Amino acid sequence: MKGHPIQYSAEEMAWLEANRTLPISEYRAEFNSAFGRDVPAANLHALRKRKGWKTGRTGHFAKGLEPHNKGKACPEGVGGRHPNARKTQFRKGQARSGVAAKVYKPIGTERMSKDGYLERKIHDGMPLQSRWRAVHLIEWEAVNGPIPAGHCLKSLDGNRLNTDPSNWELISRGVLPHLSARHGMKYDDAEQEVKPTIMAVAKLKHAAKEARRRSSAQPIPTQAAE
């Protein structure tokens, strides 16, 4: 049959168009049964596409539609319940072994981050990145509460390992660039006596920048017609 077009009578075409919304397996079975044909499902599917007959199905999982396997356990021997999958599954209460046991760090362990901050492990859950948190953030939030959105902490003495909450000031993230060497301020390298002045200038520059931004964002009033 390959290479030769399949011919359909007018009656068959009428039936195929009228029943185009059937799932392809039922479409093929009922058509072949009704007309004594043996047309493969692929050919009937291709016919529907050529004719532009819509089935009403998008092929997408509609929002809010409940999965057909919701609440059903995977059959034994399939997927995650296959014997090979069972061998490597971690079971609750099971002790770590191999590389996982060698690299495991208990909660409360402290380490140095690549940016020079002291970090502490706070849980064993997921995601992995959330297991460690900077100690100065933990100590500061214990005294002052959560850090507001758009803000961060800046070490007042420039020593990132001094995690005492009194050594960290809450500032807007927009102030940080004005404290960097890129803007000629070099806050961390400055003498302790001039750090307060640099901080004040950085905040003033940020405030001026924000004021210009808000001013430029305001709509320009249109001139009234004479």
Side-chain angles (χ1 to χ4, degrees), residues 115-187:
D115 296 320
Y117 293 97
L118 189 64
E119 292 182 330
R120 182 181 299 158
K121 188 173 184 180
I122 55 177
H123 65 82
D124 284 325
M126 299 297 283
L128 286 173
Q129 297 85 344
S130 69
R131 293 181 178 180
W132 296 84
R133 185 164 170 77
V135 176
H136 70 276
L137 297 179
I138 298 173
E139 302 292 343
W140 190 92
E141 288 186 335
V143 176
N144 302 285
I147 296 173
H151 290 70
C152 62
L153 298 182
K154 179 62 181 174
S155 170
L156 295 176
D157 65 359
N159 179 10
R160 295 179 176 180
L161 298 180
N162 182 356
T163 59
D164 191 301
S166 63
N167 182 47
W168 296 84
E169 181 177 350
L170 180 71
I171 62 172
S172 169
R173 287 193 172 276
V175 176
L176 278 179
H178 300 290
L179 298 172
S180 67
R182 182 181 178 186
H183 287 71
M185 303 290 271
K186 297 184 178 179
Y187 179 88

Side-chain angles (χ1 to χ4, degrees), residues 31 42 47 53 71 76 94-95 126 135 168 181 183 188 194-195 204:
F31 173 75
L47 175 67
W53 295 339
E76 192 64 45
Q94 179 182 349
M126 299 297 283
V135 176
W168 296 84
H183 287 71
D188 291 338
V194 299
K195 284 182 184 294
L204 184 61

Side-chain angles (χ1 to χ4, degrees), residues 8-185:
Y8 300 95
S9 68
E11 183 183 3
E12 289 174 337
M13 289 298 290
W15 187 97
L16 287 167
E17 183 176 8
N19 294 278
R20 63 187 183 278
T21 58
L22 289 173
I24 191 61
S25 58
E26 296 179 26
Y27 195 50
R28 173 181 182 270
E30 292 190 18
F31 173 75
N32 287 336
S33 175
F35 296 95
R37 303 284 300 267
D38 186 22
V39 181
N43 294 78
L44 293 175
H45 179 65
L47 175 67
R48 286 197 302 200
K49 293 184 69 175
R50 287 197 305 275
K51 293 294 184 181
W53 295 339
K54 305 297 182 183
T55 64
R57 295 181 291 277
T58 64
H60 300 163
F61 196 85
K63 186 177 182 180
L65 186 63
E66 188 171 284
H68 72 279
N69 60 348
K70 182 179 180 180
K72 298 178 181 177
C74 185
E76 192 64 45
V78 177
R81 304 183 74 181
H82 189 277
N84 290 340
R86 293 285 198 192
K87 294 177 184 176
T88 57
Q89 290 176 353
F90 187 82
R91 292 172 177 78
K92 187 175 182 180
Q94 179 182 349
R96 291 177 174 79
S97 59
V99 177
K102 292 180 181 178
V103 301
Y104 176 75
K105 304 295 182 186
I107 295 172
T109 301
E110 294 186 351
R111 69 179 185 184
M112 191 71 69
S113 76
K114 62 180 180 181
D115 296 320
Y117 293 97
L118 189 64
E119 292 182 330
R120 182 181 299 158
K121 188 173 184 180
I122 55 177
H123 65 82
D124 284 325
M126 299 297 283
L128 286 173
Q129 297 85 344
S130 69
R131 293 181 178 180
W132 296 84
R133 185 164 170 77
V135 176
H136 70 276
L137 297 179
I138 298 173
E139 302 292 343
W140 190 92
E141 288 186 335
V143 176
N144 302 285
I147 296 173
H151 290 70
C152 62
L153 298 182
K154 179 62 181 174
S155 170
L156 295 176
D157 65 359
N159 179 10
R160 295 179 176 180
L161 298 180
N162 182 356
T163 59
D164 191 301
S166 63
N167 182 47
W168 296 84
E169 181 177 350
L170 180 71
I171 62 172
S172 169
R173 287 193 172 276
V175 176
L176 278 179
H178 300 290
L179 298 172
S180 67
R182 182 181 178 186
H183 287 71
M185 303 290 271

